[in-house]
Amino acid sequence: MQEVIFEEGCTLTVLPDGIFESCSSLTHFDIPDSVTVIGANAFNYCPSLKNIELHDGITTIKDGAFWGCQTLNNVTIPESVTYIGDSAFYECVEFTEIIIPNSVTHIGAYAFQYCHKAENVVLPNDLTEINDGVFYACSNLTEIVIPESVTSIGDCAFYGNRLTSVTIPDSVTSIGDSAFENCSSLEKTNIASLRKVDSQAFKKCRKISDFSFIENLEYIGDEAFTSLPITDITLTKCKVLGSRAFLNCQDVRRIILDSELQNIGLTPFMGCFDTELLKVHKVGIRDLYTLFDTDFESYLNNYQKLECIKLDYLNDNQFENYRNLKYVEVYLSNIIPNYAFKNCTSLEEVFFKNEINSIENGAFSCCKNLEKLDIKFVGNEIKEESFFRCSKISDFSFLNNVTRYGAKCLSFTNLLNYTINKNASFIGAFAFANAILPDYMNILINDAIIEPFAFMGTKLIRSLHINKLDSVVKCKIYSIFAKSQKEFNDEYHIDYLIINDEITDSCFSKYTSIRYIESFVKDGIIPDNAFANSGYESIKIKNKVSSIGAGAFKNCSALETIV
C-alpha cells in the first residue's frame, strides 16, 4: 500500500491508534478535513512516507504518531493544534525546520528526537515546559530562543545539539538531567534566575564562558557541570550539591561555599586539580578532602596547589597531615581542637577572627614551617604537644597568661622572646624540652607542679627559682632536666638555685654543676649530708640555723662562702 485516499464528505474525526503502523510502502496520505485527532502511532514506522499535509482543524497529534517516518519532509503544523504527544515526530530525520505555532501548549517528551537535519526551531509563546528529550540529538540545531512562559527544561531536552547560543528567560527555574549535555559548541547562556540544575545538565559544554548564574543555584545535580572551563565557583544559595557536580573542571582556582548546604554528594569537586583557595562558610564538613577525593593520600598527591582554606569551625584532626596547606583562616571557632593542624608541615600562617579560649592536645604539633599565628588567646592552659616542634614561631606572646603547660606543649620551639609565667600552676613532662631559650635565662616559678624532664635540653639556665620542693618529683631538681643526676651534672649548668622551701634531707647533695644555692632549713637544722659532694661556690641559708648535721658540707671543695 503506497497511497490512501478518503472519499469526499468523510466524517472521520479521529485517525485511530496505530491505523497505518509499519506500512513500510506508504508514500503519501491526505488526511480528511474532518479529522481533528491523529491517534497514537497512527503512522509509526512508515519509513517511505514523504509527504503529508496537516490541515487546519487538527487539534491533537498523539504519542508516536509519526515515529520513524525517516523520509517525511517538513510538516507544517497548523495553528489549530494545541497538543503534540510524546515521540510524535521521533526520528523524522529529513525535517530541516520545526515551526510550532503559538496555539500549542504541550509538546510531549522526545517529540522531535533525532530530527538530525533540523536547523531552525520556533517554539510557541505560551509553552510552560520543555519536556524530556524534545530535541534530543537534533545535531544541526545551532540556536534557539525559549519563550518567557517556560518555567522548566526537562531531562535531555537539547542533548547533543550544536547549539552555540540559547536564550533562557528569567521564568526558567529548573533544568533537568543532561538537558544540554554534550552541546560542545554552546557559548552563550542567559539564565540568571535559574535555581535548579539536575545531573549532567551542562556536562561537556566546554565553550561556555559565563558561569555567573551558578552563584544563585539552590540545587546542583550529579556531574551537572562536568569538564567545563570554570575558574571560580561561588555558591551562596545552594542547599544540595550533587556527587562530582564539577567533575574535571580543571580550570577552577577558587571555590567559595557560602551557603547552608543540607546535602553534599560524593567528591563534588573531583578533578579540580588546580584549586588554590577553598572557603567554607555555613557548611559543616568533617573531612574537607572528601570534597575532592575519597582517598586522603590521593588528595594530597593530586591537589597540591590547594594551599589556602578558609572556614567557620574546626573539628578534631581537621587538617591533620594536610601537608600542602599553607594558610588557614578560621572565623567562628573559639577552640582549637585536638590535633587540628597536626603535621601540617607546609603551614605558614593561621588567622583566627574570634577569641580562642582553649588550645587542645597536639593542635599545631609538628607544624615545622608555621611562622605566624594571628590569635587572641584568652585561656590559661595549653594542652599536650599543642606547639610541639613549631620551631619557626618567634612570637609566643599570645601565651603570656598561660598558667598550665601540658606535656611537650612547647618542646623544640623558639622561646627567645617568651617568659614562662611565674604564676604557672602546672608544667608537664617535657613541656619545654629542647626549646631554644635565651642564654642564661632566669626561670621563676612560684607554686607550679613540675613534672619530669620539663626542661630537658635547656642547658644554659642562669637561675631557677622554685617556691615548693614538693612540686618537683621526689624533690629531685635534676629530674626536671635529665634522667639522672650524673647526666644533669655532665650536661647542665645553673648559676643560681633559689628554693623558698625547707630542706629536710640530703636532696641537694652531689650537685656539681650548680654554683649558688639559697634555701630554708626545717627547724633551723641543716640535715646530714645536706650539700655533700657538690660544686657549690656559695650557700645561703635563709633562716636561723641551730644545728648542722654530719657531713653537711663534706667534699664541697669549691665552696667559698656560707651565709
Side-chain angles (χ1 to χ4, degrees):
M1 182 172 62
Q2 295 182 339
E3 186 175 0
V4 177
I5 301 175
F6 283 86
E7 294 181 357
E8 289 186 12
C10 176
T11 59
L12 184 67
T13 58
V14 177
L15 281 182
D17 295 349
I19 184 173
F20 298 112
E21 185 172 359
S22 298
C23 291
S24 57
S25 298
L26 183 65
T27 61
H28 179 80
F29 184 80
D30 288 327
I31 298 176
D33 291 344
S34 58
V35 170
T36 59
V37 177
I38 299 175
N41 302 308
F43 298 93
N44 187 307
Y45 196 67
C46 293
S48 299
L49 183 63
K50 293 184 178 181
N51 296 293
I52 195 165
E53 182 178 346
L54 305 181
H55 61 78
D56 192 28
I58 295 173
T59 60
T60 303
I61 302 171
K62 287 191 173 182
D63 298 351
F66 296 94
W67 177 308
C69 295
Q70 296 178 358
T71 61
L72 184 62
N73 293 318
N74 290 338
V75 171
T76 300
I77 299 172
E79 294 188 359
S80 56
V81 173
T82 60
Y83 183 95
I84 299 174
D86 296 350
S87 304
F89 296 95
Y90 182 101
E91 209 174 6
C92 291
V93 296
E94 292 298 319
F95 282 9
T96 60
E97 65 176 11
I98 300 169
I99 311 297
I100 304 171
N102 289 333
S103 57
V104 174
T105 57
H106 177 85
I107 303 173
Y110 309 102
F112 297 94
Q113 183 172 345
Y114 293 129
C115 293
H116 296 307
K117 294 184 179 180
E119 297 178 357
N120 182 35
V121 171
V122 177
L123 297 174
N125 289 336
D126 293 329
L127 192 66
T128 58
E129 63 179 345
I130 297 177
N131 273 313
D132 297 348
V134 172
F135 299 105
Y136 184 105
C138 294
S139 52
N140 276 317
L141 185 61
T142 60
E143 188 173 343
I144 191 166
V145 175
I146 296 172
E148 293 185 358
S149 53
V150 172
T151 59
S152 65
I153 298 173
D155 298 348
C156 302
F158 297 95
Y159 180 100
N161 292 348
R162 293 183 183 175
L163 287 169
T164 59
S165 176
V166 58
T167 300
I168 302 176
D170 289 346
S171 57
V172 174
T173 58
S174 67
I175 293 179
D177 295 351
S178 301
F180 293 94
E181 182 177 351
N182 283 332
C183 291
S184 56
S185 299
L186 184 59
E187 297 179 4
K188 298 179 181 180
T189 59
N190 178 18
I191 41 181
S193 63
L194 197 59
R195 294 294 177 267
K196 181 180 181 182
V197 173
D198 275 321
S199 301
Q200 303 181 5
F202 289 94
K203 185 176 181 179
K204 296 183 179 179
C205 296
R206 294 188 178 94
K207 290 189 177 181
I208 296 178
S209 58
D210 183 5
F211 293 96
S212 58
F213 66 89
I214 290 176
E215 184 170 353
N216 295 317
L217 293 176
E218 297 175 0
Y219 181 102
I220 300 175
D222 298 347
E223 300 185 25
F225 297 102
T226 297
S227 300
L228 301 187
I230 304 173
T231 56
D232 286 1
I233 298 171
T234 299
L235 304 179
T236 58
K237 298 179 181 178
C238 191
K239 292 181 173 59
V240 177
L241 179 60
S243 297
R244 299 172 299 280
F246 294 89
L247 178 66
N248 291 331
C249 292
Q250 297 186 14
D251 294 329
V252 170
R253 298 294 181 270
R254 291 166 22 106
I255 298 172
I256 298 176
L257 306 181
D258 194 8
S259 61
E260 296 178 355
L261 280 164
Q262 299 169 358
N263 190 314
I264 301 175
L266 188 68
T267 59
F269 303 106
M270 175 173 275
C272 299
F273 297 122
D274 289 337
T275 303
E276 298 172 356
L277 166 67
L278 171 64
K279 181 178 179 181
V280 180
H281 182 48
K282 304 177 186 176
V283 183
I285 302 174
R286 177 63 184 84
D287 295 310
L288 290 176
Y289 78 87
T290 60
L291 292 171
F292 299 89
D293 208 313
T294 56
D295 179 75
F296 184 62
E297 280 301 316
S298 176
Y299 161 80
L300 292 177
N301 291 330
N302 293 314
Y303 299 86
Q304 296 186 25
K305 293 185 178 181
L306 182 50
E307 299 177 349
C308 178
I309 295 180
K310 303 178 181 182
L311 72 168
D312 286 343
Y313 295 99
L314 295 171
N315 296 305
D316 287 349
N317 309 89
Q318 181 76 69
F319 294 110
E320 184 174 1
N321 296 319
Y322 278 61
R323 59 175 176 259
N324 304 320
L325 194 59
K326 289 187 176 181
Y327 179 82
V328 175
E329 288 186 9
V330 184
Y331 300 116
L332 300 180
S333 276
N334 296 111
I335 182 173
I336 304 176
N338 296 310
Y339 311 106
F341 296 94
K342 183 178 180 180
N343 290 328
C344 290
T345 52
S346 297
L347 188 64
E348 297 175 357
E349 183 176 353
V350 183
F351 167 80
F352 295 93
K353 185 176 181 180
N354 275 5
E355 288 184 346
I356 299 298
N357 52 45
S358 180
I359 300 176
E360 298 297 310
N361 297 325
F364 296 97
S365 179
C366 296
C367 293
K368 62 181 182 181
N369 284 300
L370 181 60
E371 294 184 20
K372 183 177 180 181
L373 273 177
D374 193 336
I375 179 174
K376 184 177 181 181
F377 183 55
V378 296
N380 59 11
E381 179 180 14
I382 54 175
K383 300 289 183 64
E384 294 183 9
E385 298 188 23
S386 48
F387 294 95
F388 179 71
R389 291 189 181 274
C390 293
S391 57
K392 287 194 176 182
I393 299 177
S394 59
D395 182 5
F396 279 100
S397 59
F398 59 88
L399 298 179
N400 283 345
N401 293 321
V402 169
T403 57
R404 292 185 61 84
Y405 298 91
K408 298 183 182 180
C409 62
L410 289 164
S411 293
F412 296 94
T413 57
N414 179 356
L415 300 178
L416 289 173
N417 298 309
Y418 180 69
T419 301
I420 299 168
N421 193 336
K422 67 179 181 180
N423 295 316
S425 60
F426 178 82
I427 299 176
F430 302 96
F432 298 95
N434 296 293
I436 301 173
L437 299 174
D439 289 352
Y440 300 106
M441 180 180 181
N442 298 312
I443 299 177
L444 173 60
I445 301 170
N446 287 336
D447 298 311
I449 295 173
I450 307 175
E451 292 195 333
F453 319 123
F455 294 95
M456 176 178 276
T458 56
K459 298 181 179 181
L460 295 174
I461 305 295
R462 180 173 177 79
S463 68
L464 177 62
H465 187 142
I466 296 176
N467 269 1
K468 294 183 179 180
L469 272 176
D470 60 5
S471 68
V472 180
V473 177
K474 296 181 180 179
C475 300
K476 295 179 179 180
I477 292 297
Y478 75 79
S479 67
I480 66 177
F481 294 94
K483 295 179 180 178
S484 67
Q485 190 168 12
K486 181 180 185 304
E487 180 185 339
F488 175 81
N489 287 330
D490 290 343
E491 298 186 16
Y492 293 82
H493 179 85
I494 296 179
D495 284 343
Y496 299 96
L497 176 61
I498 302 171
I499 309 295
N500 286 334
D501 203 357
E502 297 176 333
I503 296 174
T504 59
D505 55 25
S506 59
C507 64
F508 287 101
S509 64
K510 300 180 182 179
Y511 280 94
T512 61
S513 60
I514 301 175
R515 291 176 57 205
Y516 174 92
I517 184 169
E518 179 180 319
S519 72
F520 292 88
V521 292
K522 187 175 183 180
D523 299 327
I525 300 173
I526 299 177
D528 295 348
N529 301 306
F531 304 99
N533 303 304
S534 297
Y536 303 118
E537 295 177 10
S538 178
I539 298 173
K540 180 178 180 180
I541 307 300
K542 301 173 74 172
N543 59 333
K544 187 176 181 179
V545 174
S546 60
S547 175
I548 300 175
F553 303 100
K554 181 181 178 180
N555 292 328
C556 292
S557 58
L559 186 60
E560 297 178 358
T561 60
I562 300 175
V563 180

